[in-house]
Amino acid sequence: MAVQKKMFIPDIQPGTRIDEVFVLVEARQGQARNGPYWQVRLQDARGAVDGKIWSPVSQNYPELPVGEVVRVAGSADLFRDQLQLRIEQLEAVTAPRDQIDWSLFLPRSVREPEEMLLELEELCKRELHHAPWRKFCRKILQHPEIRSRLLLAPGAKSMHHAYIGGLLEHTLSVCRLSLAISDQYPEVDREVLLVGAVFHDLGKAWELDAGIQRDYTDPGRLLGHILLGLEVLEPFLAKNDDLAPGLKLHLKHLLASHHGTYEYGSPSLPKTSEALILHYADNLDAKVNMTSVLVQALPEETTWTPYQRSMERQFYRPERTPKPETKRPAAANRTERPGVRSFLHELQPKYADVNENGEG
């Protein structure tokens, strides 16, 4: 029998009694003055929340089933302006994994990854006029392993676009931003900038596990996504004799410098106009996504988000400018495109924390 959800994490308010199912994504033990406790993190398709199992209840759990669906009973409180669950009971759900509706627990992009990957390919085909660049992008995006990883990869562990399809969503946005900025500056090499935008975060498909916990892989922890991305691209660059050495070098610089500063893990500082544009486009999209996710997750009557350590501030939901009224066209004049699918549904994670490999 499939697990049914009744309440998603963004709907939980302080003082609410909880008897719900979530995925247990993290669990670690700690020691307080009154005894040992468990610090846990729970997730569903629309958010994540921290919780604690205090002593003496914690002593009933020598271990916890991380990565499994669990039923949690307890209450919700505020701790340092952050929602936190006080857990009184936690048990693994016994339903077979193939009978669980995982769409209730794993955050996904509002768009299908296959659709976004196709759009990325079409963008390269349309905007890249230098044949070696077109060939380079086509070979990489159509490589079976790279393609399968891109379709599942999140954009980050917990900061921005931290959900299935998040990497493709972020990549498309950075590509559009980069192209729009290059329209303002005709001297910019629009094509190498676009290729850099397409592959700037490619290494994240190897840095992060696309599973329930979105944890760092061993290569991700040891090397980071910038070096991993350069490593994946190197064989394609080496085999492409049509690309001028100077173009290959510039592309590598774009990837190596896109984090902008040494503080955030960039092996190099941006040293070309194209590298600066890519860095700011990447950072802008990450920050706007994080802010939008936080504000959209607020209850209707709340205007301020909890304090965000990663950006050292709270965010405010301002009043929006009213949209002008438009008359609906008469029924006889309306035409609808057949087969148009709506991908609009809520899914965003609620909190953003600093990740260990920097931001962006």
Side-chain angles (χ1 to χ4, degrees):
M1 186 173 180
V3 175
Q4 298 295 320
K5 283 284 293 167
K6 296 175 295 188
M7 179 186 292
F8 285 98
I9 286 171
D11 301 322
I12 300 174
Q13 300 297 312
T16 304
R17 290 292 303 173
I18 303 298
D19 185 1
E20 261 307 343
V21 283
F22 309 98
V23 169
L24 179 64
V25 294
E26 293 178 19
R28 63 179 185 273
Q29 288 184 301
Q31 183 69 37
R33 283 179 295 181
N34 64 336
Y37 68 89
W38 280 101
Q39 171 78 41
V40 304
R41 189 163 180 81
L42 303 164
Q43 171 189 293
D44 61 28
R46 298 184 188 173
V49 65
D50 293 326
K52 282 191 171 66
I53 309 176
W54 295 107
S55 184
V57 177
S58 62
Q59 298 177 46
N60 297 328
Y61 301 97
E63 59 183 27
L64 292 177
V66 174
E68 299 295 332
V69 177
V70 295
R71 180 169 294 280
V72 172
S75 59
D77 302 302
L78 281 179
F79 177 71
R80 295 179 180 174
D81 294 325
Q82 299 267 5
L83 187 72
Q84 180 175 272
L85 301 186
R86 187 182 186 93
I87 299 170
E88 300 162 7
Q89 186 176 359
L90 185 151
E91 58 183 9
V93 170
T94 56
R97 293 179 71 87
D98 60 358
Q99 294 184 22
I100 295 174
D101 183 358
W102 291 101
S103 67
L104 299 171
F105 304 102
L106 298 181
R108 293 178 63 89
S109 170
V110 296
R111 297 183 61 194
E112 292 294 331
E114 292 82 0
E115 177 191 305
M116 291 189 286
L117 183 52
L118 178 61
E119 184 175 334
L120 190 63
E121 291 177 295
E122 290 297 323
L123 185 68
C124 291
K125 185 177 179 181
R126 183 175 68 249
E127 298 291 343
L128 294 175
H129 304 290
H130 186 52
W133 277 139
R134 252 195 340 269
K135 178 182 176 183
F136 176 72
C137 291
R138 184 175 64 250
K139 281 185 172 294
I140 295 169
L141 294 177
Q142 292 184 356
H143 188 278
E145 182 186 359
I146 294 174
R147 196 175 185 86
S148 63
R149 284 179 175 270
L150 285 175
L151 289 172
L152 294 175
K157 177 174 171 61
S158 61
M159 293 187 72
H160 66 90
H161 301 88
Y163 39 82
I164 293 172
L167 178 57
L168 282 169
E169 186 179 311
H170 172 60
T171 298
L172 272 172
S173 186
V174 173
C175 287
R176 295 193 198 99
L177 285 169
S178 297
L179 290 174
I181 296 170
S182 69
D183 287 340
Q184 183 69 23
Y185 303 101
E187 70 276 14
V188 164
D189 184 341
R190 179 185 177 90
E191 298 202 21
V192 74
L193 174 58
L194 176 58
V195 178
V198 170
F199 298 122
H200 78 283
D201 272 350
L202 178 65
K204 286 188 176 181
W206 283 262
E207 180 186 41
L208 294 166
D209 189 320
I212 289 174
Q213 295 172 272
R214 295 191 301 276
D215 203 359
Y216 289 98
T217 63
D218 290 343
R221 290 183 185 276
L222 293 170
L223 301 176
H225 73 272
I226 292 178
L227 291 181
L228 289 172
L230 288 167
E231 187 177 82
V232 171
L233 291 181
E234 185 56 42
F236 295 92
L237 288 168
K239 292 177 183 178
N240 195 329
D241 296 330
D242 296 330
L243 267 177
L247 292 179
K248 295 179 182 181
L249 180 61
H250 195 182
L251 176 62
K252 290 180 181 180
H253 174 65
L254 290 176
L255 271 62
S257 65
H258 80 268
H259 273 199
T261 65
Y262 299 131
E263 177 187 1
Y264 290 121
S266 207
S268 175
L269 300 180
K271 295 170 185 173
T272 68
S273 297
E274 293 79 8
L276 280 171
I277 291 172
L278 179 58
H279 162 59
Y280 285 114
D282 175 47
N283 198 34
L284 175 63
D285 185 62
K287 293 294 193 295
V288 171
N289 176 262
M290 291 165 63
T291 306
S292 297
V293 166
L294 292 165
V295 171
Q296 289 170 13
L298 288 174
E300 193 170 325
E301 67 282 0
T302 305
T303 55
W304 285 97
T305 71
Y307 181 79
Q308 300 304 306
R309 287 178 294 158
S310 60
M311 291 188 278
E312 300 180 331
R313 73 199 75 178
Q314 293 175 275
F315 285 93
Y316 178 69
R317 177 164 57 193
E319 183 176 347
R320 297 182 66 86
T321 303
K323 293 183 178 180
E325 293 184 9
T326 57
K327 292 184 178 180
R328 295 183 63 185
N333 296 329
R334 290 203 304 268
T335 58
E336 295 195 13
R337 291 178 295 162
V340 174
R341 296 178 59 192
S342 171
F343 297 100
L344 299 178
H345 56 84
E346 297 180 47
L347 52 75
Q348 306 284 23
K350 187 173 183 180
Y351 299 115
D353 296 318
V354 177
N355 76 38
E356 63 187 75
N357 284 11
E359 65 179 37

